[in-house]
Amino acid sequence: MTVPLPPLPPTADDAYRPGGRSMADIADTEHRQLLGLADQVTDQRLSPERRREVAEVLTAAISRHLSAEEQYLLPAARAALPGSAERVDRELAADAA
């Protein structure tokens, strides 16, 4: 499966970078947020009701995160990085499991 990526605007400057946060920064932030939610789910100081609420949020956030990785990040990595197909396939299999 290939995902067509939008073309970058032409530039003579090799230092050009599109504006905004990088995908790596976004993924890192989301991973930290997911770990924080996981810590709350296992925090015995919280009430069972609160831990259940956090678990529901964590479940939804993980589902959204994995879906975004599967639909956007991993296909982009496969298209942009030569020899990445095996690693991408492993990531997809791990996510499916």
XYZ file of all heavy atoms in Angstrom:
734
model
N 0.854 -1.176 0.000
C 0.000 0.000 0.000
C 0.897 1.235 0.000
O 1.783 1.367 0.817
C -0.864 -0.029 1.252
C -1.624 1.219 1.496
S -2.528 1.071 3.033
C -3.586 2.425 2.860
N 0.665 2.129 -0.910
C 1.412 3.377 -0.942
C 0.467 4.527 -0.693
O -0.725 4.476 -1.033
C 2.125 3.577 -2.290
O 1.151 3.626 -3.301
C 3.114 2.452 -2.561
N 1.000 5.534 -0.067
C 0.212 6.714 0.238
C 0.830 7.877 -0.516
O 2.018 8.160 -0.350
C 0.230 7.012 1.755
C -0.449 8.322 2.051
C -0.409 5.883 2.517
N 0.061 8.540 -1.371
C 0.618 9.695 -2.073
C 0.837 10.834 -1.083
O -0.070 11.216 -0.351
C -0.440 10.045 -3.112
C -1.707 9.456 -2.587
C -1.312 8.276 -1.734
N 2.046 11.315 -1.037
C 2.367 12.424 -0.150
C 2.320 13.722 -0.946
O 2.704 13.745 -2.117
C 3.761 12.236 0.445
C 3.949 10.976 1.283
C 5.400 10.839 1.709
C 3.037 10.994 2.487
N 1.859 14.803 -0.345
C 1.806 16.062 -1.086
C 3.224 16.534 -1.396
O 4.137 16.337 -0.602
C 1.103 17.014 -0.122
C 1.267 16.412 1.212
C 1.392 14.930 1.015
N 3.411 17.136 -2.563
C 4.751 17.604 -2.907
C 5.143 18.804 -2.062
O 4.292 19.608 -1.673
C 4.628 17.984 -4.378
C 3.187 18.289 -4.566
C 2.438 17.402 -3.602
N 6.416 18.890 -1.773
C 6.926 20.069 -1.078
C 7.074 21.198 -2.087
O 7.337 20.954 -3.265
C 8.288 19.769 -0.445
C 8.270 18.787 0.713
C 9.696 18.474 1.159
C 7.476 19.345 1.869
N 6.924 22.421 -1.656
C 7.099 23.532 -2.588
C 8.547 23.588 -3.069
O 9.464 23.241 -2.321
C 6.735 24.760 -1.761
C 6.796 24.337 -0.349
C 6.589 22.858 -0.315
N 8.767 23.983 -4.304
C 10.123 24.056 -4.804
C 10.923 25.108 -4.046
O 10.387 26.150 -3.671
C 9.950 24.438 -6.274
C 8.594 25.002 -6.383
C 7.779 24.415 -5.283
N 12.176 24.808 -3.821
C 13.048 25.748 -3.137
C 14.493 25.489 -3.539
O 14.878 24.354 -3.791
C 12.897 25.640 -1.606
O 13.791 26.556 -0.983
C 13.203 24.245 -1.101
N 15.256 26.533 -3.585
C 16.685 26.393 -3.869
C 17.463 26.264 -2.571
O 18.637 25.929 -2.574
C 17.180 27.600 -4.658
N 16.805 26.501 -1.465
C 17.458 26.477 -0.157
C 17.351 25.077 0.440
O 16.272 24.627 0.783
C 16.793 27.507 0.762
C 17.433 27.570 2.137
O 18.472 26.929 2.367
O 16.861 28.266 2.990
N 18.464 24.388 0.594
C 18.451 23.029 1.157
C 18.035 23.011 2.616
O 17.676 21.964 3.152
C 19.822 22.377 1.012
C 20.132 22.011 -0.423
O 19.193 21.913 -1.231
O 21.316 21.821 -0.722
N 18.083 24.145 3.279
C 17.725 24.203 4.698
C 16.216 24.374 4.895
O 15.747 24.449 6.018
C 18.475 25.341 5.382
N 15.459 24.404 3.818
C 14.017 24.599 3.927
C 13.373 23.454 4.706
O 13.679 22.291 4.496
C 13.377 24.667 2.535
C 11.863 24.689 2.600
C 11.187 25.854 2.899
C 11.130 23.528 2.395
C 9.804 25.876 2.978
C 9.750 23.536 2.474
C 9.091 24.714 2.762
O 7.732 24.715 2.853
N 12.509 23.804 5.631
C 11.696 22.835 6.356
C 10.286 23.381 6.425
O 10.102 24.545 6.747
C 12.221 22.624 7.775
C 13.470 21.797 7.848
C 13.856 21.526 9.302
N 12.727 21.103 10.096
C 12.545 19.861 10.553
N 13.423 18.946 10.291
N 11.507 19.557 11.278
N 9.296 22.534 6.153
C 7.912 23.005 6.282
C 7.647 23.474 7.707
O 8.261 22.985 8.664
C 7.074 21.764 5.958
C 8.002 20.841 5.240
C 9.382 21.159 5.724
N 6.752 24.426 7.854
C 6.427 24.943 9.177
C 5.670 23.927 10.014
O 5.177 22.921 9.516
N 5.587 24.195 11.290
C 4.846 23.311 12.185
C 5.724 22.257 12.834
O 6.920 22.169 12.581
N 5.097 21.484 13.677
C 5.813 20.438 14.406
C 6.072 19.248 13.502
O 5.280 18.942 12.624
C 4.978 19.993 15.606
C 4.803 21.106 16.619
C 3.823 20.766 17.716
N 4.116 19.484 18.327
C 3.203 18.758 18.956
N 1.966 19.175 19.039
N 3.530 17.608 19.500
N 7.169 18.553 13.760
C 7.484 17.359 12.984
C 6.622 16.197 13.467
O 6.103 16.199 14.597
C 8.965 16.996 13.130
O 9.216 16.461 14.414
N 6.491 15.184 12.631
C 5.744 13.983 13.010
C 6.389 13.321 14.228
O 5.693 12.774 15.081
C 5.669 13.019 11.836
C 4.712 13.479 10.765
S 4.653 12.467 9.266
C 4.378 10.842 9.857
N 7.710 13.382 14.292
C 8.409 12.781 15.435
C 8.044 13.495 16.731
O 7.826 12.852 17.763
C 9.921 12.815 15.212
N 7.952 14.826 16.694
C 7.560 15.585 17.886
C 6.136 15.257 18.315
O 5.851 15.090 19.498
C 7.670 17.091 17.634
C 9.102 17.577 17.531
O 10.012 16.869 18.013
O 9.306 18.665 16.957
N 5.255 15.154 17.341
C 3.853 14.835 17.648
C 3.742 13.435 18.250
O 3.062 13.236 19.261
C 2.981 14.975 16.386
C 2.933 16.439 15.957
C 1.580 14.418 16.609
C 2.345 16.668 14.587
N 4.431 12.461 17.644
C 4.393 11.084 18.156
C 4.981 11.024 19.562
O 4.429 10.357 20.447
C 5.136 10.145 17.222
N 6.079 11.733 19.793
C 6.702 11.740 21.117
C 5.755 12.319 22.164
O 5.589 11.750 23.251
C 8.005 12.542 21.075
C 8.694 12.571 22.427
O 9.041 11.480 22.940
O 8.875 13.672 22.977
N 5.107 13.418 21.830
C 4.149 14.031 22.761
C 3.003 13.073 23.071
O 2.624 12.896 24.237
C 3.598 15.347 22.177
O 4.689 16.256 21.995
C 2.559 15.974 23.087
N 2.467 12.435 22.027
C 1.364 11.498 22.263
C 1.810 10.302 23.091
O 1.078 9.841 23.965
C 0.760 11.039 20.935
C -0.124 12.091 20.316
C -1.035 11.540 19.243
O -1.079 10.309 19.025
O -1.723 12.361 18.617
N 3.014 9.791 22.840
C 3.505 8.653 23.627
C 3.624 9.040 25.099
O 3.246 8.257 25.983
C 4.847 8.167 23.089
C 4.740 7.462 21.780
N 5.825 7.181 20.992
C 3.664 6.982 21.096
C 5.429 6.559 19.899
N 4.123 6.423 19.939
N 4.109 10.225 25.367
C 4.220 10.693 26.763
C 2.841 10.823 27.409
O 2.644 10.468 28.570
C 4.976 12.011 26.835
C 6.449 11.875 26.505
C 7.137 13.244 26.467
N 8.439 13.156 25.877
C 9.544 12.830 26.522
N 9.484 12.552 27.813
N 10.698 12.781 25.908
N 1.877 11.332 26.648
C 0.511 11.453 27.177
C -0.084 10.080 27.464
O -0.742 9.887 28.503
C -0.363 12.223 26.186
C 0.006 13.683 26.068
C -0.706 14.381 24.922
O -1.222 13.744 24.001
N -0.725 15.711 24.959
N 0.141 9.129 26.578
C -0.376 7.775 26.790
C 0.262 7.136 28.017
O -0.424 6.473 28.807
C -0.146 6.912 25.551
C -0.933 7.318 24.306
C -0.458 6.536 23.084
C -2.423 7.136 24.518
N 1.553 7.333 28.197
C 2.222 6.789 29.386
C 1.681 7.429 30.662
O 1.501 6.750 31.679
C 3.738 6.996 29.285
C 4.445 6.121 28.257
C 5.898 6.566 28.088
C 4.374 4.655 28.644
N 1.389 8.724 30.602
C 0.805 9.401 31.766
C -0.562 8.834 32.111
O -0.885 8.623 33.290
N -1.377 8.569 31.093
C -2.681 7.954 31.338
C -2.523 6.547 31.907
O -3.261 6.157 32.827
C -3.507 7.918 30.048
C -4.013 9.265 29.535
C -4.581 9.123 28.129
C -5.052 9.843 30.489
N -1.569 5.786 31.385
C -1.335 4.425 31.895
C -0.918 4.480 33.363
O -1.353 3.642 34.165
C -0.274 3.718 31.060
N -0.105 5.456 33.728
C 0.284 5.610 35.133
C -0.933 5.875 36.012
O -1.045 5.346 37.122
C 1.290 6.750 35.295
C 2.671 6.407 34.777
O 2.969 5.201 34.592
O 3.460 7.349 34.549
N -1.867 6.687 35.514
C -3.068 6.981 36.293
C -3.954 5.748 36.462
O -4.540 5.546 37.527
C -3.872 8.095 35.627
C -3.226 9.453 35.702
C -4.108 10.512 35.087
O -5.309 10.586 35.378
N -3.532 11.339 34.224
N -4.039 4.926 35.427
C -4.870 3.721 35.498
C -4.362 2.783 36.583
O -5.151 2.094 37.239
C -4.914 3.003 34.125
C -5.512 1.615 34.235
C -5.689 3.837 33.126
N -3.063 2.758 36.789
C -2.483 1.842 37.785
C -2.243 2.505 39.139
O -1.737 1.856 40.052
C -1.154 1.258 37.264
O -0.239 2.330 36.997
C -1.381 0.450 35.997
N -2.610 3.764 39.271
C -2.390 4.500 40.520
C -3.445 4.092 41.547
O -4.611 4.473 41.451
C -2.452 6.004 40.249
C -2.072 6.842 41.452
O -2.031 6.311 42.583
O -1.812 8.047 41.258
N -3.028 3.335 42.528
C -3.945 2.824 43.546
C -4.501 3.922 44.454
O -5.455 3.691 45.195
C -3.254 1.750 44.396
C -2.845 0.523 43.594
C -4.041 -0.178 42.971
O -5.066 -0.362 43.611
N -3.909 -0.555 41.702
N -3.911 5.105 44.394
C -4.413 6.215 45.215
C -5.696 6.793 44.631
O -6.459 7.448 45.348
C -3.365 7.314 45.336
C -2.102 6.857 46.089
C -1.026 7.890 46.015
N -0.644 8.040 44.606
C 0.209 8.936 44.147
N 0.751 9.808 44.970
N 0.515 8.986 42.864
N -5.948 6.557 43.342
C -7.171 7.051 42.719
C -8.321 6.091 42.999
O -8.115 4.891 43.179
C -6.979 7.185 41.206
C -5.916 8.173 40.737
C -5.810 8.143 39.225
C -6.224 9.577 41.224
N -9.510 6.615 43.004
C -10.686 5.764 43.237
C -10.863 4.818 42.057
O -10.451 5.123 40.930
C -11.934 6.628 43.405
O -12.290 7.214 42.158
N -11.506 3.675 42.296
C -11.766 2.759 41.182
C -12.568 3.427 40.056
O -12.320 3.162 38.882
C -12.562 1.626 41.826
C -12.162 1.656 43.258
C -11.913 3.102 43.573
N -13.497 4.298 40.419
C -14.289 4.984 39.407
C -13.410 5.881 38.533
O -13.557 5.909 37.310
C -15.408 5.828 40.057
C -16.465 5.013 40.772
C -16.018 4.565 42.169
O -15.089 5.170 42.752
O -16.600 3.589 42.663
N -12.502 6.624 39.184
C -11.607 7.517 38.432
C -10.674 6.703 37.543
O -10.438 7.068 36.394
C -10.804 8.398 39.392
C -9.837 9.323 38.698
C -10.552 10.314 37.813
N -9.581 11.125 37.096
C -9.764 11.642 35.907
N -10.912 11.469 35.284
N -8.831 12.356 35.323
N -10.142 5.597 38.059
C -9.253 4.758 37.242
C -10.013 4.184 36.048
O -9.474 4.098 34.949
C -8.629 3.656 38.095
C -7.607 4.208 39.083
C -6.651 3.191 39.669
N -7.140 1.860 39.829
C -7.578 1.327 40.970
N -7.584 2.044 42.074
N -7.982 0.087 41.017
N -11.272 3.827 36.235
C -12.094 3.315 35.132
C -12.313 4.406 34.083
O -12.214 4.156 32.880
C -13.425 2.790 35.661
C -14.248 2.046 34.639
C -15.492 1.357 35.199
N -16.050 1.858 36.440
C -15.788 1.359 37.658
N -14.990 0.326 37.806
N -16.352 1.877 38.737
N -12.580 5.639 34.528
C -12.747 6.756 33.592
C -11.466 6.983 32.779
O -11.513 7.174 31.567
C -13.099 8.040 34.350
C -14.484 8.065 34.942
C -14.691 9.262 35.860
O -13.727 10.025 36.107
O -15.822 9.426 36.344
N -10.330 6.963 33.477
C -9.044 7.163 32.799
C -8.775 6.013 31.832
O -8.261 6.231 30.731
C -7.897 7.321 33.820
C -6.550 7.370 33.124
C -8.092 8.576 34.674
N -9.141 4.793 32.218
C -8.944 3.634 31.338
C -9.750 3.793 30.054
O -9.274 3.434 28.965
C -9.330 2.344 32.058
N -10.950 4.348 30.150
C -11.759 4.578 28.955
C -11.109 5.616 28.046
O -11.071 5.455 26.824
C -13.173 5.006 29.347
C -13.978 3.888 29.976
C -15.322 4.344 30.516
O -15.684 5.534 30.325
O -16.017 3.517 31.124
N -10.575 6.673 28.637
C -9.877 7.701 27.854
C -8.623 7.100 27.224
O -8.334 7.332 26.045
C -9.520 8.916 28.735
C -8.590 9.886 27.999
C -10.779 9.627 29.202
N -7.886 6.306 27.987
C -6.672 5.664 27.477
C -6.990 4.746 26.300
O -6.302 4.764 25.278
C -5.971 4.884 28.592
C -4.723 4.093 28.197
C -3.648 5.001 27.622
C -4.197 3.321 29.409
N -8.051 3.963 26.426
C -8.449 3.058 25.349
C -8.757 3.835 24.069
O -8.298 3.479 22.982
C -9.661 2.218 25.773
O -9.311 1.454 26.930
C -10.110 1.286 24.663
N -9.510 4.911 24.199
C -9.848 5.724 23.028
C -8.608 6.391 22.441
O -8.431 6.431 21.216
C -10.889 6.778 23.410
N -7.725 6.894 23.302
C -6.515 7.577 22.825
C -5.567 6.610 22.122
O -4.989 6.946 21.083
C -5.808 8.268 23.995
N -5.420 5.414 22.671
C -4.551 4.414 22.028
C -5.129 4.009 20.678
O -4.397 3.894 19.688
C -4.353 3.182 22.935
C -3.426 3.528 24.088
C -3.804 2.006 22.143
C -3.282 2.435 25.113
N -6.434 3.817 20.619
C -7.077 3.442 19.364
C -6.843 4.511 18.302
O -6.473 4.212 17.163
C -8.573 3.234 19.592
O -9.211 2.941 18.389
N -7.046 5.767 18.668
C -6.835 6.876 17.734
C -5.373 6.955 17.300
O -5.053 7.124 16.129
C -7.265 8.189 18.380
C -7.197 9.374 17.420
C -7.390 10.713 18.108
N -6.150 11.038 18.785
C -6.058 11.367 20.070
N -7.115 11.419 20.827
N -4.895 11.646 20.601
N -4.463 6.797 18.264
C -3.030 6.887 17.983
C -2.578 5.774 17.033
O -1.885 6.034 16.044
C -2.246 6.821 19.298
C -0.776 6.926 19.123
N -0.132 8.131 18.993
C 0.179 5.971 19.051
C 1.161 7.915 18.839
N 1.376 6.608 18.874
N -2.983 4.546 17.329
C -2.584 3.427 16.467
C -3.177 3.561 15.066
O -2.523 3.235 14.073
C -2.986 2.094 17.102
C -2.220 1.713 18.366
C -2.792 0.427 18.961
C -0.738 1.570 18.096
N -4.402 4.054 14.986
C -5.028 4.264 13.689
C -4.250 5.299 12.874
O -3.993 5.108 11.680
C -6.478 4.717 13.872
O -7.068 4.978 12.628
N -3.843 6.383 13.512
C -3.067 7.415 12.810
C -1.722 6.872 12.359
O -1.280 7.146 11.234
C -2.870 8.627 13.715
N -1.068 6.091 13.219
C 0.209 5.487 12.820
C 0.006 4.573 11.613
O 0.789 4.605 10.664
C 0.824 4.700 13.972
C 1.496 5.559 15.008
C 2.232 4.748 16.057
O 2.136 3.501 16.070
O 2.926 5.371 16.886
N -1.042 3.760 11.660
C -1.290 2.796 10.578
C -1.671 3.494 9.272
O -1.228 3.089 8.200
C -2.397 1.839 10.995
C -2.691 0.773 9.961
C -3.775 -0.196 10.416
O -3.861 -0.484 11.624
O -4.534 -0.652 9.552
N -2.460 4.552 9.358
C -2.951 5.210 8.148
C -1.970 6.218 7.561
O -1.968 6.428 6.339
C -4.261 5.930 8.450
C -5.411 4.997 8.734
C -6.682 5.771 9.030
O -7.015 6.710 8.308
N -7.375 5.397 10.085
N -1.156 6.851 8.412
C -0.330 7.953 7.922
C 1.168 7.739 8.134
O 1.942 7.809 7.185
C -0.745 9.271 8.598
C -2.189 9.614 8.333
C -3.155 9.443 9.312
C -2.585 10.084 7.088
C -4.488 9.736 9.066
C -3.914 10.381 6.828
C -4.861 10.211 7.824
O -6.172 10.490 7.571
N 1.559 7.525 9.375
C 2.988 7.491 9.692
C 3.708 6.311 9.048
O 4.727 6.491 8.368
C 3.190 7.460 11.215
C 4.642 7.395 11.679
C 5.396 8.642 11.249
C 4.711 7.201 13.181
N 3.194 5.115 9.247
C 3.902 3.935 8.737
C 3.914 3.871 7.205
O 4.965 3.568 6.626
C 3.338 2.668 9.372
C 3.588 2.584 10.890
C 2.879 1.387 11.490
C 5.064 2.553 11.214
N 2.815 4.185 6.519
C 2.912 4.230 5.048
C 3.889 5.303 4.559
O 4.595 5.099 3.576
C 1.481 4.531 4.593
C 0.627 3.998 5.702
C 1.414 4.280 6.953
N 3.929 6.442 5.237
C 4.880 7.484 4.845
C 6.309 7.015 5.062
O 7.186 7.263 4.231
C 4.610 8.767 5.636
N 6.559 6.318 6.169
C 7.903 5.781 6.430
C 8.275 4.761 5.366
O 9.400 4.772 4.850
C 7.961 5.156 7.818
N 7.345 3.894 5.022
C 7.611 2.875 3.988
C 7.963 3.548 2.659
O 8.888 3.125 1.968
C 6.397 1.969 3.815
C 6.621 0.829 2.830
C 5.332 0.097 2.491
N 4.588 -0.399 3.615
C 4.746 -1.601 4.173
N 5.644 -2.429 3.721
N 3.995 -1.970 5.188
N 7.232 4.612 2.307
C 7.467 5.292 1.030
C 8.760 6.097 1.035
O 9.436 6.197 0.014
C 6.283 6.203 0.708
N 9.110 6.662 2.173
C 10.248 7.585 2.217
C 11.573 6.919 2.570
O 12.629 7.449 2.226
C 9.964 8.693 3.232
N 11.543 5.785 3.260
C 12.775 5.165 3.738
C 13.038 3.850 3.021
O 12.343 2.859 3.248
C 12.696 4.913 5.251
C 12.441 6.154 6.107
C 12.151 5.756 7.545
C 13.635 7.088 6.032
N 14.046 3.818 2.173
C 14.375 2.564 1.488
C 14.698 1.466 2.510
O 15.342 1.711 3.520
C 15.615 2.911 0.659
C 15.626 4.405 0.570
C 14.937 4.907 1.810
N 14.198 0.288 2.257
C 14.489 -0.852 3.130
C 13.691 -0.876 4.420
O 14.004 -1.641 5.331
N 12.664 -0.052 4.525
C 11.895 0.018 5.766
C 10.695 -0.924 5.791
O 10.039 -1.050 6.825
C 11.413 1.448 6.013
O 10.474 1.819 5.012
N 10.409 -1.596 4.691
C 9.182 -2.394 4.588
C 9.089 -3.452 5.684
O 8.032 -3.621 6.298
C 9.074 -3.037 3.211
N 10.179 -4.144 5.953
C 10.151 -5.199 6.978
C 9.861 -4.615 8.358
O 9.058 -5.152 9.116
C 11.475 -5.953 6.988
C 11.481 -7.140 7.934
C 12.799 -7.901 7.891
O 13.326 -8.109 6.779
O 13.282 -8.284 8.970
N 10.484 -3.514 8.684
C 10.262 -2.879 9.987
C 8.820 -2.381 10.107
O 8.171 -2.544 11.135
C 11.244 -1.724 10.164
C 11.004 -0.852 11.364
C 11.816 -1.292 12.542
N 11.482 -0.608 13.756
C 12.195 0.369 14.306
N 13.306 0.760 13.729
N 11.813 0.915 15.424
N 8.316 -1.771 9.038
C 6.934 -1.290 9.039
C 5.975 -2.459 9.225
O 5.028 -2.388 10.020
C 6.621 -0.505 7.750
C 5.126 -0.250 7.603
C 7.388 0.812 7.719
N 6.227 -3.571 8.529
C 5.377 -4.750 8.671
C 5.392 -5.279 10.105
O 4.353 -5.681 10.634
C 5.809 -5.845 7.700
C 5.512 -5.497 6.249
O 4.675 -4.600 6.003
O 6.117 -6.119 5.352
N 6.561 -5.267 10.747
C 6.651 -5.712 12.155
C 5.828 -4.799 13.056
O 5.139 -5.256 13.970
C 8.108 -5.743 12.616
C 8.878 -6.962 12.202
C 10.159 -7.157 12.993
N 10.946 -5.951 13.174
C 11.945 -5.565 12.384
N 12.276 -6.284 11.341
N 12.604 -4.451 12.641
N 5.914 -3.483 12.838
C 5.157 -2.530 13.638
C 3.651 -2.751 13.462
O 2.897 -2.739 14.437
C 5.530 -1.102 13.276
C 6.923 -0.700 13.672
C 7.149 -0.715 15.175
O 6.212 -0.369 15.932
O 8.246 -1.098 15.594
N 3.228 -2.941 12.217
C 1.815 -3.186 11.957
C 1.340 -4.472 12.623
O 0.246 -4.520 13.205
C 1.554 -3.230 10.448
C 1.653 -1.898 9.724
C 1.640 -2.092 8.218
C 0.543 -0.952 10.153
N 2.157 -5.518 12.557
C 1.787 -6.794 13.189
C 1.721 -6.644 14.705
O 0.801 -7.170 15.346
C 2.798 -7.874 12.800
N 2.656 -5.909 15.281
C 2.661 -5.704 16.735
C 1.422 -4.908 17.153
O 0.791 -5.213 18.179
C 3.936 -4.975 17.173
N 1.074 -3.891 16.372
C -0.114 -3.101 16.692
C -1.386 -3.937 16.595
O -2.282 -3.817 17.417
C -0.220 -1.893 15.776
C 0.832 -0.820 16.071
O 1.550 -0.938 17.087
O 0.942 0.115 15.266
N -1.444 -4.789 15.583
C -2.620 -5.653 15.410
C -2.760 -6.638 16.563
O -3.869 -6.941 16.989
C -2.545 -6.385 14.080
N -1.630 -7.119 17.053
C -1.656 -8.082 18.175
C -2.158 -7.390 19.427
O -2.849 -7.946 20.225
C -0.264 -8.657 18.402
